[in-house]
């Protein structure tokens, strides 16, 4: 039996426990330039007791951007800003990966600076956070994308490699490629959003090619033990029904990932419109992929430990519990009560200032609460 509080190695990085802070989209950067700041450094440092922190998604280029005020990783100012974050986390003894992000069709030219790109020119009803005509920011309808050319694909792969290189310069312990939730790589893998007729469309092998090639290129650049990937085969993407083929595609892709020796494969589950993940799928994954697996999705301490006990996963990730409980690991360890992620917390989740971000208290038993 594997205890949730036991240490685990990710290559050169030794994690003090198996509790991971999951990536959560945020819009709290300094302007202009979408630059990470001291407030973000405080936020992540407060949560450094997690075995591993995965940051919010960081666009790898301007055209990869789909949400205003999110922190990039493609300019020197981004690198310098993120260095504040990594230094703060490392000073507290933590480990931190950055999530590398390309939103694909979930964008608008007013945010990305040009027409969004996608596997195919298919528009879905969707909204993202961007500039409003009357001023300020709010939710706006996405723009119809154009299908990526082969040159676009090659440039995007180069952008991910450069972003990984930038992440190393910024002091990160590794990178996670975001291939879930209807973003660029996910739409290449799904038949409903990929109707290409070239080597990146059609068969399963073709639809997984873009992701696998990009992963290999990033591995070649910074080393396999510093590279991970996030997928969401049991979460609906777009207006179609749950893709009945995507789970098989992901299992087949993991067989091809195995020789890469990635840091981990991260499954995002139980969000949006989803289907429950059957044990039979977890067993298939373990049969083809003995390397490290992480799962996130409305886990509790008990349900996370059960996944570890079953041998289905090696790491368990928590999102919103870490928002309102910066000392989540200690609360789990001692059985202390959790601060609920309520309606007020949800209102301040994505954007704003320190309130609802760095001002959640740690738990002090039988005394009082103090801010971390």
């Amino acid at each position: 039996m594997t205890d949730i509080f036991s240490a685990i190695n990710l290559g050169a990085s030794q994690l003090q426990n198996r509790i991971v802070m999951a990536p959560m989209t945020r819009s709290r950067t300094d302007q202009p330039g979408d630059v990470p700041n001291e407030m973000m450094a405080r936020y992540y440092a407060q949560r450094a007791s997690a075995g591993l922190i995965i940051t919010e998604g960081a666009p790898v280029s301007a055209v990869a951007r789909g949400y205003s005020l999110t922190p990039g990783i493609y300019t020197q100012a981004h690198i310098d800003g993120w260095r504040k974050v990594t230094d703060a986390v490392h000073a507290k003894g933590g480990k931190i990966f950055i999530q590398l992000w390309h939103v694909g069709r979930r964008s608008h030219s007013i945010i990305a600076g040009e027409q969004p790109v996608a596997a195919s020119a298919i528009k879905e009803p969707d909204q993202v956070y961007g500039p409003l005509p009357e001023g300020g920011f709010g939710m706006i309808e996405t723009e119809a994308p154009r299908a990526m050319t082969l040159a676009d694909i090659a440039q995007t792969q180069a952008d991910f490699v450069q972003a990984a290189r930038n992440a190393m310069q910024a002091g990160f312990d590794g990178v996670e490629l975001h291939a879930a939730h209807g973003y660029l790589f996910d739409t290449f893998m799904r038949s409903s959003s990929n109707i290409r007729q070239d080597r990146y469309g059609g068969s399963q092998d073709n639809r997984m090619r873009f992701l696998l090639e990009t992963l290999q290129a990033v591995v070649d650049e910074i080393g396999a033990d510093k590279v991970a990937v996030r997928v969401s085969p049991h979460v609906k993407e777009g207006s179609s029904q749950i893709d009945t083929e995507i789970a098989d595609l992901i299992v087949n892709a993991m067989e091809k990932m195995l020789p890469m020796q990635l840091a981990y494969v991260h499954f995002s589950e139980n969000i949006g419109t989803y289907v429950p993940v059957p044990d039979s799928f977890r067993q298939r994954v373990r049969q083809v992929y003995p390397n490290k697996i992480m799962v996130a999705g409305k886990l509790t301490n008990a349900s996370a430990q059960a996944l570890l006990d079953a041998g289905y996963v090696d790491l368990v990730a928590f999102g919103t519990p870490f928002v309102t409980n910066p000392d989540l690991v200690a609360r789990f360890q001692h059985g202390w009560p959790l601060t609920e992620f309520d309606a007020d917390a949800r209102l301040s989740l994505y954007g704003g200032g320190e309130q609802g971000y760095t001002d959640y208290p740690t738990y002090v038993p039988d005394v009082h609460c103090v801010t971390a």
Side-chain angles (χ1 to χ4, degrees):
M1 189 172 79
T2 301
D3 188 78
I4 195 172
F5 303 110
S6 62
I8 185 173
N9 288 333
L10 292 184
S13 296
Q14 183 174 45
L15 311 187
Q16 56 192 327
N17 56 66
R18 295 165 188 258
I19 299 170
V20 178
M21 179 176 164
M24 290 174 280
T25 300
R26 298 300 180 83
S27 295
R28 275 182 164 90
T29 56
D30 285 346
Q31 299 303 309
D34 302 303
V35 178
N37 53 39
E38 296 283 359
M39 179 173 61
M40 293 170 58
R42 284 192 294 277
Y43 169 76
Y44 283 116
Q46 289 171 350
R47 290 150 179 83
S49 60
L52 176 67
I53 290 172
I54 310 169
T55 74
E56 69 248 64
V60 299
S61 65
V63 72
R65 180 175 295 284
Y67 300 79
S68 293
L69 310 181
T70 53
I73 186 63
Y74 54 91
T75 71
Q76 187 61 50
H78 294 151
I79 295 169
D80 295 342
W82 278 119
R83 172 59 78 169
K84 298 175 184 177
V85 175
T86 60
D87 284 350
V89 170
H90 291 151
K92 291 286 190 74
K95 301 292 184 182
I96 184 166
F97 275 35
I98 186 172
Q99 188 182 70
L100 302 183
W101 197 20
H102 193 308
V103 304
R105 67 185 180 182
R106 300 188 69 176
S107 187
H108 192 286
S109 56
I110 198 171
I111 301 170
E114 60 181 275
Q115 185 180 7
V117 296
S120 301
I122 299 173
K123 170 77 172 76
E124 283 283 353
D126 195 10
Q127 290 189 323
V128 291
Y129 185 71
L132 298 173
E134 63 272 23
F137 296 89
M139 302 308 291
I140 61 173
E141 183 66 20
T142 56
E143 189 175 359
R146 65 174 179 84
M148 294 177 78
T149 65
L150 294 180
D152 292 328
I153 289 173
Q155 180 60 57
T156 300
Q157 291 171 333
D159 290 340
F160 272 91
V161 170
Q162 182 62 55
R165 191 181 300 129
N166 294 347
M168 295 299 99
Q169 188 178 342
F172 282 100
D173 298 293
V175 305
E176 177 185 281
L177 275 64
H178 197 345
H181 301 171
Y183 297 120
L184 185 64
F185 290 118
D186 196 26
T187 54
F188 265 81
M189 291 189 287
R190 295 175 188 261
S191 57
S192 60
S193 50
N194 183 346
I195 57 173
R196 301 176 70 94
Q197 300 297 314
D198 61 8
R199 61 194 180 99
Y200 292 99
S203 69
Q204 282 194 18
D205 282 348
N206 282 357
R207 283 183 279 128
M208 69 178 75
R209 186 189 307 277
F210 181 30
L211 174 60
L212 295 176
E213 286 181 348
T214 309
L215 277 170
Q216 187 63 63
V218 174
V219 164
D220 292 343
E221 180 63 31
I222 66 171
D225 64 336
K226 298 179 181 67
V227 181
V229 63
R230 192 182 213 202
V231 294
S232 55
H234 292 89
V235 177
K236 176 182 170 181
E237 197 287 303
S239 59
S240 61
Q241 298 299 311
I242 293 287
D243 189 333
T244 58
E245 196 182 341
I246 188 64
D248 288 336
L249 183 148
I250 292 298
V251 172
N252 293 335
M254 290 179 74
E255 286 190 87
K256 297 178 186 297
M257 292 176 196
L258 186 59
M260 296 184 194
Q261 297 294 311
L262 300 176
Y264 59 83
V265 174
H266 181 183
F267 286 92
S268 178
E269 304 171 354
N270 300 332
I271 65 167
T273 304
Y274 66 90
V275 295
V277 181
D279 281 352
S280 58
F281 176 78
R282 300 198 195 281
Q283 291 160 5
R284 286 180 61 203
V285 166
R286 265 305 184 211
Q287 287 171 0
V288 304
Y289 199 82
N291 294 349
K292 293 180 179 68
I293 293 171
M294 179 189 301
V295 163
K298 294 183 173 64
L299 294 176
T300 64
N301 189 1
S303 64
Q305 184 62 61
L307 287 173
L308 287 163
D309 290 345
Y312 293 148
V313 305
D314 306 280
L315 299 148
V316 283
F318 300 84
T320 52
F322 260 115
V323 173
T324 49
N325 301 276
D327 56 339
L328 183 67
V329 175
R331 295 194 190 215
F332 279 168
Q333 205 156 20
H334 298 288
W336 294 336
L338 300 186
T339 300
E340 183 183 355
F341 185 79
D342 57 15
D344 288 340
R346 190 168 297 280
L347 283 174
S348 59
L349 176 65
Y350 292 108
E354 301 275 1
Q355 184 176 0
Y357 190 56
T358 60
D359 61 345
Y360 287 105
T362 57
Y363 186 78
V364 180
D366 301 324
V367 186
H368 60 279
C369 290
V370 297
T371 301

